[in-house]
Amino acid sequence: MKTYVICSGGLDSVSLAHKVAAENELAGLISFDYGQRHSKELDFARAAAERLGVPFHLIDMRSIGAHLSGSALTDDVEVPDGHYAEDTMKTTVVPNRNAIMLTVAFGLAAAQKADAVATAVHGGDHFIYPDCRPAFTEAFDAMQKQALDGYADVRLYTPFVHEPKSAIVTEGAKHGTPFAETWSCYKGGDLHCGRCGTCVERREAFHLAGVADPTEYADPDFWVEAVARGAK
């Protein structure tokens, strides 16, 4: 199955790229610059493509992202600290981001005669991000079958959509993902902050998977408090 992977440069998508490279035919990585403040993640995506020996497609979506206003990931809005279960994390939603990215990726995949587009949405995203939920991915896959009817047959591959992030760590370790060569932090500093939602989730996932976390965090212990608070 010739597959393109949407790759942000984060733990989830880089692990997915290694999984696809091991189990299928990895056609390339597709990344998007939508004006995210943590755009350094794109350097990690490019490095993953070079490491895996596949083409890297960087799609410039900055002009579109400028109109998707109100998110802490793109605007001058403070990135909240805490667990994704906390209501404050809704400020990290970029409206319709995944739908836009997937549409572009499917067009590229169809043009290149690929069989699938893979994205690393997972169970931990469901609470806060509507375009990461199974209902969305299933509907999007059905929509693309109509959009490309008679021209191409491209499926949406979401192996983690019902899995927790810890399962991605386990799968990534199985396929030799160099976790230290991935970037998750929404704040985009020199180190992972250890306090934003994606840092807390990352740190917790390694703990639950029983895999050593090579990430250097500015605040490596905050996740314990954040998880406890989010579970209430």
Side-chain angles (χ1 to χ4, degrees):
M1 190 167 65
K2 183 179 178 182
T3 305
Y4 281 94
V5 172
I6 294 179
C7 185
S8 67
L11 184 154
D12 305 338
S13 60
V14 174
S15 294
L16 177 58
H18 278 261
K19 174 181 173 65
V20 170
E23 298 177 352
N24 293 287
E25 177 186 352
L26 179 62
L29 304 186
I30 305 173
S31 294
F32 296 87
D33 183 350
Y34 57 93
Q36 61 269 49
R37 69 170 67 197
H38 58 301
S39 60
K40 66 183 293 181
E41 66 178 0
L42 299 173
D43 294 333
F44 290 84
R46 185 185 300 275
E50 292 175 355
R51 184 170 60 248
L52 292 166
V54 297
F56 178 66
H57 303 272
L58 178 59
I59 310 299
D60 187 349
M61 262 180 43
R62 286 173 294 177
S63 61
I64 297 173
H67 297 282
L68 308 179
S69 58
S71 172
L73 302 193
T74 56
D75 285 3
D76 189 19
V77 177
E78 186 176 357
V79 175
D81 293 340
H83 193 274
Y84 274 130
E86 297 182 54
D87 219 40
T88 53
M89 293 301 152
K90 289 181 180 177
T91 62
T92 64
V93 172
V94 178
N96 228 32
R97 177 182 60 175
N98 280 358
I100 296 167
M101 292 179 179
L102 281 167
T103 298
V104 174
F106 264 77
L108 188 155
Q112 297 300 319
K113 311 302 181 188
D115 302 301
V117 170
T119 184
V121 297
H122 62 88
D125 290 332
H126 298 171
F127 176 80
I128 203 75
Y129 302 117
D131 56 1
C132 292
R133 297 169 187 162
F136 166 78
T137 58
E138 291 163 11
F140 189 91
D141 195 29
M143 182 269 288
Q144 282 299 310
K145 283 181 171 58
Q146 297 302 315
L148 295 172
D149 184 41
Y151 179 80
D153 184 11
V154 183
R155 59 166 291 202
L156 180 58
Y157 180 47
T158 56
F160 304 139
V161 72
H162 296 289
E163 301 292 336
K165 194 181 186 81
S166 56
I168 300 178
V169 172
T170 300
E171 193 72 6
K174 173 183 173 183
H175 294 297
T177 304
F179 295 121
E181 301 302 317
T182 66
W183 184 267
S184 299
C185 183
Y186 282 159
K187 296 184 181 180
D190 292 333
L191 302 177
H192 281 75
C193 72
R195 299 179 65 90
C196 69
T198 189
C199 276
V200 168
E201 186 189 41
R202 178 184 176 112
R203 183 69 184 85
E204 180 188 22
F206 277 102
H207 171 74
L208 293 173
V211 173
D213 185 356
T215 314
E216 188 175 357
Y217 299 95
D219 190 342
D221 300 320
F222 175 78
W223 72 279
V224 178
E225 171 194 336
V227 169
R229 191 169 62 238
K232 291 180 180 178

